[in-house]
Amino acid sequence: MFMGYSLGEIGSIFAMQAFAGLILFSVFVLMALGLAIIFGQMGVINMAHGEFMILGAYMTFLTSHLFQTYAPQAFAGYFFVAMLVAFVASGAIGLAVEWLLIKRLYKRPLDTLLATWGLSLIMQQAFRSIFGAREVGVQLPDWMMGSLQVTDTIEVQINGLFVMTLTLMITAVVALLLFRSRWGLQVRAVVANRVMADAAGIDTRRIDRLTFGLGCGIAGIAGSAFTMIGSTSPTAGQAYIVDTFLVVVFGGAQSLLGTIASAFTISQSQSTLEFFLTGSMAKVTTLLIVIGLLMLRPQGLFVLKVRK
Amino acid sequence: MLDVHNLSAAYGQSEVLHNVDFSVAPGEIVAVVGRNGMGKSTLMKSLIGIIPPRSGEVKVDGTDVSTLASHARVARGLAYVPQGRQIFGTMTVRENIETGLVVTGKTLIPHEIFVLFPILKEFEKRRGGNLSGGQQQQLAIARALASDPKILLLDEPTEGIQPSIIKDIARVLRQIRDMTNMCIVVCEQVLSFVLDVADRILVMENGRIVHSAMREGVDEAAIARFLAV
Ligand SMILES: Nc1ncnc2c1ncn2[C@@H]1O[C@H](COP(=O)(O)OP(=O)(O)O)[C@@H](O)[C@H]1O
Ligand SMILES: [Mg+2]
């Protein structure tokens, strides 16, 4: 597959594809982060996670429109507002869904799978009715367009750099919350032993609700990042949910570092291979790599070791 | 302080605890003794709310808490040290204690806890899972104390712990009672420990309390017979 390229060209291709993969990496990390904390804490697999992301994407689209129409002079900064709006919207709907639906199904894991799948269909239809079936794209402010010329043959896009920096910051904030805040303390106790956490005085149901809301909110931010690599449509989230599961399983559901490493591996192999092979062959190869590594380490990439 | 009336509990259809009645006064240490499988843990779990009662009442300071979730009972003044300790293994010693602190809304671990268990201060940054059994037991007690309870429930705190440390635990329990006038209910099978800490002894057999005696002038041989296999 490397035929017809000089060594230098191959180097540049790898560098640029690796960079293109970084936006995908960002979307994966943000999606997986939410999915993993929800699954890790409640054992709920949120099949509608992709739709929460798309909700964030639509919110970004709406915000960009509002800025264009009513405050064009402030358009340069709209993306920051959009991320906040996406987070709040997806998070709020997440809280409501937990309250209306999920909390009634905690003792029935298969039912939560079905219920959240149903929810994903409802959300898709809602998007279709509200925003229309056509794909929408957002316009980027000028400063985010264009790319930096690193060498003669390598250039990197500014929006990619921006999204990646943001993702790393959000990940750091989540890590900080998990390991330094009262909420994080309670989450980790519930993950370790739900019954005992309750008996130690932790309101586990309240923590569940907060975690679900936060996970969905982060998916909303992933949606903001997503607007830069894909166009938003009612069903666009579907394509990401499977990949995100893969990231979570591969990383080891309880490890933040594992999630990041796993998102990195998967997005990079996907993006690099896509250049040389067709999209589906790239996917097959990625899957094979993941399956191979999982056979070597069934517990995922990273696991904490303590005495039982 | 703690009044248990007619408490019954079941796993599915099989009732394991039958009409249990007892009260504990402030500053009193009551030991519930009985062989394996007699229902001691079930009693503890239904007091803290891990198992919902089938019938009966659990009153703390006169208010019934038997319909509340565990964390709400903790807020009313109950605290629980489970059999097998069940500390959070991947969390540090300090964090383990802080989980008990959540319900109080406080952020600082009371100084007294580290006075009772100096080893926990020394090891506060270690993971709970890497402590020895005796240290984990101290940690589980510290976590319960952090919620500032009026009533402390302990389920077989001596299980799997070396004799020298068992003596320490007995001393600490009496010390806690003397310091705070807390009431303490402890389930046990180790007779020497029971005689060491208890003011009153209840014997449990097949989910019923079948015998009750004050520590003063107790017929040790009679209690030992209940514990013999
Ligand atoms: N989770 C459970 N499901 C069904 N039966 C149980 C369960 N736990 C305990 N039992 C039964 O309840 C009875 C009392 O058990 P337990 O309260 O653990 O006794 P103890 O703590 O005194 O050893 C035993 O007969 C045991 O088999
Ligand atoms: Mg027991």
Side-chain angles (χ1 to χ4, degrees):
Chain A
M1 62 185 188
F2 298 133
M3 300 254 270
Y5 298 105
S6 77
L7 214 60
E9 278 170 347
I10 287 183
S12 306
I13 288 168
F14 265 95
M16 278 165 67
Q17 284 304 112
F19 191 79
L22 286 181
I23 300 188
L24 188 63
F25 163 70
S26 305
V27 174
F28 277 170
V29 166
L30 292 177
M31 283 283 282
L33 214 55
L35 204 67
I37 57 175
I38 291 173
F39 179 72
Q41 189 192 318
M42 301 175 237
V44 169
I45 294 179
N46 181 17
M47 294 290 287
H49 211 66
E51 278 63 41
F52 280 98
M53 172 179 96
I54 293 304
L55 177 65
Y58 276 119
M59 288 302 126
T60 309
F61 165 73
L62 273 188
T63 312
S64 82
H65 251 262
L66 287 178
F67 267 80
Q68 262 171 339
T69 322
Y70 297 107
Q73 67 286 1
F75 189 70
Y78 95 87
F79 200 80
F80 296 95
V81 180
M83 285 193 313
L84 195 69
V85 173
F87 176 77
V88 171
S90 293
I93 305 253
L95 286 178
V97 163
E98 201 280 345
W99 186 67
L100 286 168
L101 188 69
I102 312 282
K103 81 165 183 198
R104 291 156 215 277
L105 300 171
Y106 276 125
K107 298 210 167 79
R108 293 141 61 184
L110 265 177
D111 293 358
T112 52
L113 209 66
L114 270 180
T116 51
W117 182 60
L119 176 69
S120 78
L121 297 182
I122 294 173
M123 287 176 77
Q124 285 172 27
Q125 189 52 47
F127 294 150
R128 209 169 280 127
S129 311
I130 299 169
F131 301 104
R134 289 240 315 275
E135 294 185 341
V136 299
V138 301
Q139 199 170 3
L140 288 178
D142 291 334
W143 65 272
M144 272 198 220
M145 311 261 242
S147 47
L148 299 175
Q149 196 77 33
V150 182
T151 68
D152 291 348
T153 46
I154 302 177
E155 49 183 47
V156 300
Q157 298 149 287
I158 293 174
N159 64 357
L161 272 181
F162 173 76
V163 168
M164 219 188 53
T165 315
L166 260 168
T167 301
L168 292 181
M169 276 164 53
I170 290 165
T171 312
V173 168
V174 172
L176 218 62
L177 279 176
L178 266 177
F179 291 98
R180 290 284 176 274
S181 78
R182 266 296 146 96
W183 166 79
L185 180 83
Q186 298 178 67
V187 167
R188 284 180 296 138
V190 173
V191 169
N193 185 337
R194 175 174 289 269
V195 171
M196 189 57 229
D198 211 311
I202 293 172
D203 186 345
T204 53
R205 287 289 175 247
R206 192 178 139 261
I207 295 300
D208 286 348
R209 182 139 61 246
L210 284 176
T211 301
F212 198 84
L214 183 69
C216 292
I218 298 173
I221 301 184
S224 291
F226 169 80
T227 57
M228 296 187 186
I229 49 169
S231 43
T232 305
S233 72
T235 52
Q238 296 269 293
Y240 283 84
I241 189 76
V242 176
D243 285 338
T244 309
F245 283 145
L246 210 63
V247 169
V248 172
V249 172
F250 186 42
Q254 317 239 327
S255 155
L256 212 57
L257 210 61
T259 303
I260 295 170
S262 150
F264 188 78
T265 318
I266 293 179
S267 61
Q268 286 306 320
S269 33
Q270 178 75 16
S271 148
T272 314
L273 290 168
E274 243 168 34
F275 188 85
F276 297 104
L277 308 164
T278 63
S280 34
M281 274 314 285
K283 183 127 268 173
V284 169
T285 317
T286 309
L287 277 174
L288 283 177
I289 295 173
V290 169
I291 290 169
L293 286 173
L294 273 181
M295 282 168 88
L296 294 177
R297 283 185 72 83
Q299 67 279 55
L301 284 178
F302 290 88
V303 212
L304 279 177
K305 286 195 189 63
V306 284
R307 264 200 263 171
K308 273 281 170 206
Chain B
M1 177 68 75
L2 175 68
D3 297 285
V4 180
H5 289 301
N6 238 335
L7 186 69
S8 300
Y11 295 102
Q13 289 304 306
S14 72
E15 190 173 289
V16 174
L17 212 58
H18 316 284
N19 307 325
V20 171
D21 266 292
F22 66 94
S23 295
V24 187
E28 190 182 23
I29 302 183
V30 170
V32 178
V33 303
R35 288 191 304 273
N36 269 330
M38 288 305 169
K40 303 183 297 298
S41 295
T42 308
L43 171 66
M44 289 308 207
K45 286 181 190 166
S46 52
L47 291 180
I48 194 66
I50 292 174
I51 303 173
R54 180 175 258 196
S55 62
E57 288 181 321
V58 177
K59 285 188 176 166
V60 176
D61 263 344
T63 29
D64 184 24
V65 300
S66 63
T67 54
L68 301 178
S70 299
H71 65 267
R73 299 192 195 198
V74 175
R76 300 290 168 91
L78 282 165
Y80 173 59
V81 180
Q83 186 167 3
R85 310 179 268 276
Q86 304 199 16
I87 50 120
F88 305 115
T90 54
M91 296 166 67
T92 65
V93 166
R94 167 169 286 274
E95 289 170 338
N96 265 278
I97 303 175
E98 282 172 349
T99 60
L101 215 53
V102 168
V103 79
T104 65
K106 296 199 189 103
T107 50
L108 281 181
I109 298 173
H111 172 67
E112 295 81 11
I113 289 183
F114 289 129
V115 173
L116 286 170
F117 306 110
I119 192 78
L120 297 183
K121 179 77 191 167
E122 190 180 324
F123 289 166
E124 66 176 335
K125 297 219 166 63
R126 291 208 192 170
R127 285 191 202 287
N130 293 335
L131 300 186
S132 74
Q135 291 160 352
Q136 290 191 356
Q137 188 63 58
Q138 299 185 27
L139 179 54
I141 298 174
R143 175 179 64 189
L145 291 178
S147 66
D148 195 16
K150 298 177 204 152
I151 301 158
L152 182 61
L153 310 170
L154 301 103
D155 195 351
E156 301 212 26
T158 65
E159 192 189 35
I161 286 174
Q162 29 182 129
S164 63
I165 307 208
I166 294 183
K167 282 246 175 299
D168 280 349
I169 293 177
R171 183 181 48 76
V172 164
L173 290 185
R174 285 194 311 264
Q175 212 175 335
I176 293 169
R177 184 264 310 272
D178 295 342
M179 266 163 54
T180 62
N181 213 32
M182 205 176 285
C183 69
I184 300 180
V185 182
V186 53
C187 290
E188 260 310 333
Q189 302 195 48
V190 176
L191 186 57
S192 60
F193 176 81
V194 169
L195 295 172
D196 214 1
V197 292
D199 302 316
R200 186 149 57 97
I201 300 171
L202 305 175
V203 179
M204 179 163 249
E205 273 203 323
N206 297 321
R208 288 193 169 81
I209 291 180
V210 295
H211 184 80
S212 162
M214 297 306 287
R215 167 68 182 89
E216 296 296 313
V218 69
D219 180 356
E220 292 183 24
I223 304 288
R225 235 173 292 127
F226 281 112
L227 285 172
V229 218

